[in-house]
Coordinates of all heavy atoms in Angstrom, one line a residue:
L302 N 11.9 4.4 -11.0 CA 12.1 4.4 -9.5 C 12.8 3.1 -9.1 O 12.5 2.1 -9.7 CB 10.8 4.5 -8.8 CG 10.0 5.8 -9.0 CD1 8.7 5.8 -8.2 CD2 10.8 7.0 -8.6
P303 N 13.7 3.2 -8.1 CA 14.4 2.0 -7.7 C 13.5 1.0 -6.9 O 12.4 1.5 -6.3 CB 15.5 2.5 -6.8 CG 15.0 3.8 -6.3 CD 14.1 4.4 -7.4
L304 N 13.9 -0.2 -6.8 CA 13.0 -1.2 -6.1 C 12.8 -0.9 -4.7 O 11.7 -1.1 -4.2 CB 13.7 -2.6 -6.3 CG 12.8 -3.8 -5.7 CD1 11.5 -3.9 -6.5 CD2 13.7 -5.1 -5.8
D305 N 13.8 -0.4 -4.0 CA 13.5 -0.1 -2.5 C 12.5 1.0 -2.3 O 11.7 0.9 -1.4 CB 14.9 0.3 -1.8 CG 15.6 1.5 -2.5 OD1 15.1 2.0 -3.5 OD2 16.6 1.9 -1.9
A306 N 12.4 2.0 -3.2 CA 11.4 3.0 -3.1 C 10.0 2.4 -3.3 O 9.0 2.7 -2.7 CB 11.7 4.2 -4.0
L307 N 9.9 1.5 -4.3 CA 8.7 0.9 -4.6 C 8.2 0.0 -3.5 O 7.0 -0.1 -3.2 CB 8.8 0.1 -5.9 CG 9.0 1.0 -7.2 CD1 9.3 0.1 -8.4 CD2 7.8 1.8 -7.5
A308 N 9.2 -0.7 -2.9 CA 8.9 -1.6 -1.7 C 8.3 -0.8 -0.6 O 7.4 -1.2 0.1 CB 10.1 -2.4 -1.3
D309 N 8.9 0.4 -0.3 CA 8.3 1.3 0.7 C 6.9 1.7 0.4 O 6.0 1.7 1.3 CB 9.2 2.5 0.9 CG 10.6 2.2 1.5 OD1 10.7 1.2 2.1 OD2 11.4 3.1 1.3
C310 N 6.6 2.0 -0.8 CA 5.3 2.3 -1.2 C 4.3 1.1 -1.1 O 3.2 1.3 -0.7 CB 5.2 2.8 -2.7 SG 6.1 4.4 -3.0
A311 N 4.8 -0.1 -1.4 CA 4.0 -1.3 -1.3 C 3.6 -1.5 0.1 O 2.5 -1.9 0.4 CB 4.7 -2.5 -1.9
A312 N 4.6 -1.4 1.0 CA 4.3 -1.5 2.5 C 3.3 -0.5 3.0 O 2.4 -0.9 3.8 CB 5.6 -1.4 3.3
E313 N 3.4 0.7 2.5 CA 2.5 1.7 2.9 C 1.1 1.4 2.4 O 0.1 1.6 3.1 CB 2.9 3.1 2.4 CG 2.0 4.3 2.7 CD 1.9 4.6 4.2 OE1 2.8 4.2 4.9 OE2 0.9 5.2 4.6
A314 N 1.0 1.0 1.1 CA -0.3 0.6 0.6 C -1.0 -0.5 1.4 O -2.2 -0.5 1.6 CB -0.2 0.2 -0.9
A315 N -0.2 -1.5 1.8 CA -0.7 -2.6 2.6 C -1.3 -2.0 3.9 O -2.4 -2.5 4.4 CB 0.4 -3.6 2.9
E316 N -0.6 -1.1 4.6 CA -1.1 -0.5 5.8 C -2.4 0.3 5.6 O -3.2 0.3 6.5 CB 0.0 0.4 6.4 CG 1.2 -0.3 6.9 CD 2.2 0.7 7.6 OE1 1.8 1.8 7.9 OE2 3.3 0.3 8.0
R317 N -2.5 0.9 4.4 CA -3.7 1.6 4.1 C -4.9 0.8 3.6 O -6.0 1.2 3.4 CB -3.4 2.7 3.1 CG -2.4 3.7 3.5 CD -2.2 4.7 2.4 NE -1.1 5.6 2.7 CZ -1.1 6.9 2.3 NH1 -2.0 7.4 1.6 NH2 -0.1 7.7 2.6
G318 N -4.6 -0.5 3.4 CA -5.6 -1.4 2.9 C -5.9 -1.2 1.4 O -6.9 -1.6 0.9
G319 N -4.9 -0.7 0.7 CA -5.0 -0.4 -0.7 C -4.0 -1.2 -1.5 O -3.4 -2.2 -1.1
W320 N -3.8 -0.8 -2.8 CA -2.9 -1.5 -3.7 C -1.9 -0.5 -4.2 O -2.1 0.7 -4.3 CB -3.6 -2.0 -5.0 CG -4.6 -3.1 -4.8 CD1 -4.7 -3.9 -3.6 CD2 -5.5 -3.6 -5.7 NE1 -5.7 -4.9 -3.8 CE2 -6.2 -4.7 -5.1 CE3 -5.9 -3.3 -7.0 CZ2 -7.2 -5.4 -5.8 CZ3 -6.9 -4.0 -7.7 CH2 -7.5 -5.0 -7.1
L321 N -0.7 -1.0 -4.5 CA 0.3 -0.3 -5.3 C 0.2 -0.8 -6.7 O 0.5 -2.0 -6.9 CB 1.7 -0.5 -4.7 CG 2.8 0.1 -5.6 CD1 2.7 1.6 -5.8 CD2 4.2 -0.3 -5.0
I322 N -0.2 0.0 -7.6 CA -0.4 -0.4 -9.0 C 0.8 0.1 -9.8 O 1.0 1.4 -9.9 CB -1.7 0.1 -9.6 CG1 -2.9 -0.4 -8.7 CG2 -1.9 -0.2 -11.0 CD1 -4.1 0.4 -8.8
I323 N 1.6 -0.7 -10.4 CA 2.8 -0.3 -11.1 C 2.6 -0.7 -12.6 O 2.5 -1.9 -12.9 CB 4.1 -1.0 -10.6 CG1 4.2 -0.8 -9.1 CG2 5.3 -0.5 -11.3 CD1 5.3 -1.5 -8.4
D324 N 2.6 0.3 -13.4 CA 2.4 0.1 -14.9 C 3.9 -0.1 -15.5 O 4.6 0.9 -15.6 CB 1.7 1.2 -15.5 CG 1.4 1.0 -17.0 OD1 2.2 0.3 -17.6 OD2 0.6 1.7 -17.5
E325 N 4.2 -1.3 -15.8 CA 5.6 -1.6 -16.4 C 5.5 -1.8 -17.9 O 6.2 -2.6 -18.5 CB 6.2 -2.8 -15.7 CG 6.5 -2.6 -14.2 CD 7.3 -3.7 -13.6 OE1 7.3 -4.8 -14.2 OE2 7.9 -3.5 -12.6
S326 N 4.7 -1.0 -18.6 CA 4.5 -1.2 -20.0 C 5.8 -1.0 -20.8 O 6.0 -1.6 -21.9 CB 3.5 -0.2 -20.6 OG 2.2 -0.5 -20.1
F327 N 6.8 -0.3 -20.3 CA 8.0 0.0 -21.0 C 9.2 -0.7 -20.3 O 10.4 -0.4 -20.7 CB 8.3 1.5 -21.2 CG 7.4 2.1 -22.2 CD1 6.3 2.9 -21.7 CD2 7.6 2.0 -23.5 CE1 5.4 3.5 -22.6 CE2 6.8 2.6 -24.4 CZ 5.7 3.4 -24.0
I328 N 9.0 -1.6 -19.4 CA 10.1 -2.2 -18.6 C 10.9 -3.2 -19.4 O 12.0 -3.6 -19.0 CB 9.6 -2.8 -17.3 CG1 10.7 -2.9 -16.2 CG2 9.0 -4.2 -17.6 CD1 11.1 -1.6 -15.6
D329 N 10.3 -3.7 -20.5 CA 11.0 -4.7 -21.3 C 12.4 -4.3 -21.8 O 13.2 -5.1 -22.1 CB 10.2 -5.1 -22.5 CG 8.9 -5.8 -22.1 OD1 7.9 -5.1 -21.9 OD2 8.9 -7.1 -22.1
V330 N 12.6 -3.0 -21.9 CA 13.9 -2.5 -22.3 C 14.9 -2.6 -21.2 O 16.2 -2.5 -21.4 CB 13.8 -1.1 -22.8 CG1 13.0 -1.0 -24.1 CG2 13.3 -0.1 -21.8
A331 N 14.5 -2.8 -20.0 CA 15.4 -3.0 -18.8 C 14.7 -4.0 -17.8 O 14.3 -3.6 -16.7 CB 15.6 -1.6 -18.1
P332 N 14.6 -5.3 -18.3 CA 13.8 -6.2 -17.5 C 14.3 -6.5 -16.1 O 13.5 -6.9 -15.2 CB 13.9 -7.5 -18.4 CG 15.1 -7.3 -19.2 CD 15.2 -5.9 -19.5
E333 N 15.6 -6.2 -15.9 CA 16.2 -6.4 -14.5 C 15.6 -5.4 -13.5 O 15.7 -5.6 -12.3 CB 17.7 -6.3 -14.6 CG 18.2 -4.9 -14.8 CD 18.2 -4.4 -16.3 OE1 17.7 -5.2 -17.1 OE2 18.5 -3.3 -16.5
R334 N 14.9 -4.4 -14.0 CA 14.4 -3.3 -13.1 C 12.9 -3.6 -12.7 O 12.3 -2.8 -12.0 CB 14.5 -2.0 -13.7 CG 15.9 -1.5 -14.1 CD 16.8 -1.3 -12.8 NE 16.2 -0.3 -11.9 CZ 16.6 1.0 -12.1 NH1 17.4 1.4 -13.0 NH2 16.0 1.9 -11.2
T335 N 12.4 -4.7 -13.1 CA 11.0 -5.0 -12.8 C 10.8 -5.1 -11.2 O 11.7 -5.6 -10.5 CB 10.5 -6.3 -13.4 OG1 9.1 -6.5 -13.1 CG2 11.3 -7.5 -13.0
A336 N 9.6 -4.8 -10.8 CA 9.2 -4.9 -9.4 C 8.4 -6.1 -9.1 O 7.7 -6.1 -8.1 CB 8.5 -3.6 -8.9
V337 N 8.4 -7.0 -10.0 CA 7.5 -8.2 -9.9 C 7.7 -9.0 -8.6 O 6.7 -9.6 -8.1 CB 7.6 -9.1 -11.2 CG1 8.9 -9.8 -11.2 CG2 6.4 -10.0 -11.3
S338 N 8.9 -9.0 -8.1 CA 9.2 -9.7 -6.9 C 8.3 -9.2 -5.7 O 8.0 -10.0 -4.8 CB 10.6 -9.6 -6.5 OG 11.0 -8.3 -6.3
L339 N 7.9 -8.0 -5.7 CA 7.1 -7.4 -4.6 C 5.7 -8.1 -4.5 O 5.0 -8.0 -3.5 CB 6.9 -5.9 -4.8 CG 8.2 -5.1 -4.8 CD1 7.9 -3.6 -5.0 CD2 8.9 -5.3 -3.5
C340 N 5.2 -8.7 -5.6 CA 3.9 -9.3 -5.6 C 3.8 -10.5 -4.6 O 2.7 -10.9 -4.2 CB 3.5 -9.8 -7.0 SG 3.4 -8.5 -8.3
A341 N 5.0 -11.0 -4.3 CA 5.0 -12.2 -3.4 C 4.7 -11.8 -1.9 O 4.3 -12.6 -1.1 CB 6.3 -12.9 -3.4
R342 N 4.9 -10.5 -1.6 CA 4.8 -10.0 -0.2 C 3.7 -9.0 0.0 O 3.3 -8.8 1.2 CB 6.1 -9.5 0.3 CG 7.3 -10.5 0.3 CD 8.6 -9.8 0.8 NE 9.1 -8.9 -0.3 CZ 9.9 -7.9 0.0 NH1 10.2 -7.6 1.2 NH2 10.4 -7.2 -1.0
Y343 N 3.4 -8.2 -1.0 CA 2.6 -7.0 -0.8 C 1.4 -7.0 -1.8 O 1.4 -7.7 -2.8 CB 3.4 -5.8 -1.1 CG 4.6 -5.6 -0.1 CD1 5.9 -5.8 -0.6 CD2 4.4 -5.3 1.2 CE1 7.0 -5.6 0.2 CE2 5.5 -5.1 2.1 CZ 6.8 -5.2 1.6 OH 7.9 -5.1 2.4
P344 N 0.4 -6.1 -1.5 CA -0.7 -6.0 -2.5 C -0.3 -5.1 -3.7 O -0.7 -4.0 -3.8 CB -1.8 -5.3 -1.6 CG -1.0 -4.5 -0.6 CD 0.2 -5.3 -0.3
V345 N 0.6 -5.7 -4.5 CA 1.2 -5.0 -5.6 C 0.5 -5.6 -6.9 O 0.5 -6.8 -7.0 CB 2.7 -5.1 -5.7 CG1 3.3 -4.6 -7.0 CG2 3.3 -4.4 -4.5
V346 N 0.1 -4.7 -7.8 CA -0.4 -5.1 -9.1 C 0.5 -4.6 -10.2 O 0.7 -3.4 -10.3 CB -1.9 -4.5 -9.3 CG1 -2.4 -4.9 -10.6 CG2 -2.8 -5.0 -8.1
I347 N 1.0 -5.5 -11.0 CA 1.9 -5.1 -12.0 C 1.2 -5.3 -13.4 O 0.5 -6.3 -13.6 CB 3.2 -6.1 -12.1 CG1 3.9 -6.0 -10.8 CG2 4.1 -5.7 -13.3 CD1 4.8 -4.8 -10.6
L348 N 1.3 -4.3 -14.2 CA 0.8 -4.3 -15.6 C 1.9 -4.4 -16.6 O 2.9 -3.7 -16.5 CB -0.1 -3.0 -15.9 CG -1.3 -2.8 -15.0 CD1 -2.0 -1.5 -15.4 CD2 -2.2 -3.9 -15.0
R349 N 1.8 -5.3 -17.5 CA 2.8 -5.5 -18.5 C 2.2 -5.4 -19.9 O 1.1 -6.1 -20.2 CB 3.5 -6.9 -18.4 CG 4.4 -7.0 -17.1 CD 5.6 -6.1 -17.1 NE 6.5 -6.4 -18.2 CZ 7.7 -7.0 -17.9 NH1 8.0 -7.4 -16.7 NH2 8.5 -7.2 -18.9
S350 N 2.8 -4.7 -20.8 CA 2.3 -4.5 -22.2 C 3.1 -5.5 -23.1 O 4.3 -5.5 -23.0 CB 2.4 -3.1 -22.6 OG 2.2 -3.0 -24.0
F351 N 2.4 -6.2 -23.9 CA 3.1 -7.0 -24.9 C 3.4 -6.2 -26.2 O 4.5 -6.3 -26.7 CB 2.2 -8.2 -25.3 CG 2.8 -9.0 -26.4 CD1 3.8 -9.9 -26.2 CD2 2.2 -8.9 -27.7 CE1 4.3 -10.7 -27.3 CE2 2.7 -9.6 -28.8 CZ 3.8 -10.5 -28.6
G352 N 2.5 -5.4 -26.7 CA 2.6 -4.8 -28.0 C 3.8 -3.8 -28.1 O 4.3 -3.6 -29.2
K353 N 4.2 -3.1 -27.0 CA 5.2 -2.0 -27.2 C 6.5 -2.6 -27.5 O 7.1 -2.2 -28.5 CB 5.2 -1.2 -25.9 CG 3.9 -0.4 -25.7 CD 4.0 0.5 -24.5 CE 2.7 1.4 -24.3 NZ 1.5 0.6 -24.2
F354 N 7.1 -3.4 -26.7 CA 8.4 -3.9 -27.0 C 8.5 -4.8 -28.2 O 9.4 -4.8 -29.0 CB 9.0 -4.7 -25.7 CG 10.3 -5.3 -25.9 CD1 11.4 -4.5 -26.0 CD2 10.5 -6.6 -26.0 CE1 12.7 -5.0 -26.2 CE2 11.7 -7.2 -26.2 CZ 12.9 -6.4 -26.3
Y355 N 7.4 -5.7 -28.3 CA 7.4 -6.6 -29.4 C 6.9 -6.0 -30.7 O 6.8 -6.7 -31.8 CB 6.6 -7.9 -29.1 CG 7.4 -8.7 -28.0 CD1 7.1 -8.5 -26.7 CD2 8.4 -9.6 -28.4 CE1 7.9 -9.2 -25.7 CE2 9.1 -10.3 -27.5 CZ 8.8 -10.1 -26.1 OH 9.6 -10.8 -25.2
G356 N 6.5 -4.7 -30.7 CA 6.1 -4.0 -31.9 C 4.8 -4.5 -32.5 O 4.6 -4.3 -33.7
L357 N 4.0 -5.1 -31.7 CA 2.7 -5.7 -32.2 C 1.5 -5.2 -31.5 O 0.7 -5.9 -30.9 CB 2.8 -7.2 -32.1 CG 3.9 -7.9 -33.0 CD1 4.0 -9.4 -32.6 CD2 3.5 -7.8 -34.5
A358 N 1.4 -3.9 -31.4 CA 0.3 -3.3 -30.7 C -1.1 -3.7 -31.2 O -2.1 -3.8 -30.4 CB 0.4 -1.7 -30.8
G359 N -1.2 -4.1 -32.4 CA -2.5 -4.5 -33.0 C -2.9 -5.8 -32.5 O -4.1 -6.2 -32.6
V360 N -2.0 -6.6 -31.9 CA -2.4 -7.9 -31.3 C -3.4 -7.7 -30.1 O -4.2 -8.6 -29.8 CB -1.2 -8.7 -30.9 CG1 -1.5 -10.0 -30.2 CG2 -0.4 -9.1 -32.2
R361 N -3.2 -6.6 -29.4 CA -4.0 -6.3 -28.2 C -3.8 -7.4 -27.2 O -4.7 -8.2 -27.0 CB -5.5 -6.1 -28.5 CG -5.8 -5.1 -29.6 CD -5.1 -3.7 -29.4 NE -5.4 -3.2 -28.1 CZ -4.4 -2.5 -27.3 NH1 -3.2 -2.5 -27.8 NH2 -4.7 -2.0 -26.2
L362 N -2.7 -7.3 -26.5 CA -2.3 -8.3 -25.5 C -1.6 -7.6 -24.4 O -0.7 -6.8 -24.6 CB -1.5 -9.4 -26.1 CG -1.0 -10.5 -25.1 CD1 -2.2 -11.3 -24.6 CD2 -0.1 -11.5 -25.9
G363 N -2.1 -7.9 -23.1 CA -1.4 -7.3 -22.0 C -1.6 -8.3 -20.8 O -2.3 -9.3 -20.9
F364 N -0.9 -8.0 -19.7 CA -0.9 -9.0 -18.6 C -1.0 -8.2 -17.3 O -0.5 -7.1 -17.1 CB 0.4 -9.8 -18.6 CG 0.6 -10.7 -19.8 CD1 1.3 -10.2 -20.9 CD2 0.0 -11.9 -19.9 CE1 1.5 -11.0 -22.0 CE2 0.2 -12.7 -21.0 CZ 0.9 -12.3 -22.1
L365 N -1.6 -8.9 -16.3 CA -1.6 -8.4 -14.9 C -1.0 -9.5 -14.1 O -1.2 -10.7 -14.2 CB -3.0 -8.1 -14.5 CG -3.2 -7.7 -13.0 CD1 -4.3 -6.6 -12.9 CD2 -3.6 -8.9 -12.1
I366 N -0.1 -9.0 -13.2 CA 0.6 -9.9 -12.2 C 0.3 -9.5 -10.8 O 0.5 -8.3 -10.5 CB 2.1 -9.9 -12.5 CG1 2.4 -10.3 -13.9 CG2 2.8 -10.9 -11.5 CD1 3.8 -10.0 -14.4
A367 N -0.1 -10.4 -10.0 CA -0.5 -10.0 -8.6 C -0.7 -11.3 -7.8 O -0.6 -12.4 -8.3 CB -1.8 -9.2 -8.6
A368 N -1.0 -11.1 -6.5 CA -1.3 -12.2 -5.6 C -2.6 -12.9 -6.1 O -3.4 -12.3 -6.8 CB -1.5 -11.7 -4.2
P369 N -2.7 -14.2 -5.8 CA -3.9 -14.9 -6.4 C -5.3 -14.3 -6.1 O -6.1 -14.3 -6.9 CB -3.8 -16.3 -5.7 CG -2.3 -16.5 -5.4 CD -1.8 -15.1 -5.1
S370 N -5.4 -13.7 -4.9 CA -6.7 -13.1 -4.5 C -7.0 -11.9 -5.4 O -8.2 -11.6 -5.7 CB -6.7 -12.7 -3.1 OG -5.6 -11.7 -2.8
I371 N -6.0 -11.1 -5.8 CA -6.2 -10.0 -6.7 C -6.3 -10.4 -8.1 O -7.2 -10.0 -8.8 CB -5.0 -9.0 -6.5 CG1 -4.9 -8.5 -5.1 CG2 -5.1 -7.9 -7.5 CD1 -3.6 -7.6 -4.9
A372 N -5.5 -11.3 -8.5 CA -5.5 -11.8 -9.9 C -6.9 -12.4 -10.2 O -7.4 -12.2 -11.3 CB -4.4 -12.8 -10.2
G373 N -7.4 -13.1 -9.2 CA -8.7 -13.8 -9.4 C -9.8 -12.8 -9.7 O -10.8 -13.1 -10.5
R374 N -9.8 -11.6 -9.2 CA -10.8 -10.6 -9.4 C -10.8 -10.2 -10.9 O -11.9 -10.0 -11.5 CB -10.6 -9.3 -8.6 CG -10.7 -9.5 -7.1 CD -10.6 -8.2 -6.4 NE -10.4 -8.3 -5.0 CZ -10.4 -7.3 -4.1 NH1 -10.6 -6.0 -4.6 NH2 -10.1 -7.4 -2.8

Side-chain angles (χ1 to χ4, degrees):
L302 297 181
L304 185 62
D305 57 353
L307 295 171
D309 290 342
C310 292
E313 178 65 22
E316 290 186 10
R317 299 180 184 212
W320 291 349
L321 170 62
I322 301 159
I323 307 175
D324 184 338
E325 292 189 342
S326 289
F327 288 101
I328 203 73
D329 293 86
V330 295
E333 71 282 357
R334 300 295 299 272
T335 180
V337 71
S338 61
L339 298 179
C340 296
R342 295 179 289 156
Y343 299 109
V345 171
V346 179
I347 301 283
L348 300 179
R349 294 293 296 254
S350 169
F351 172 79
K353 292 182 176 62
F354 178 71
Y355 290 95
L357 295 170
V360 170
R361 305 311 304 140
L362 180 62
F364 298 92
L365 177 141
I366 304 166
S370 60
I371 298 175
R374 298 189 194 185

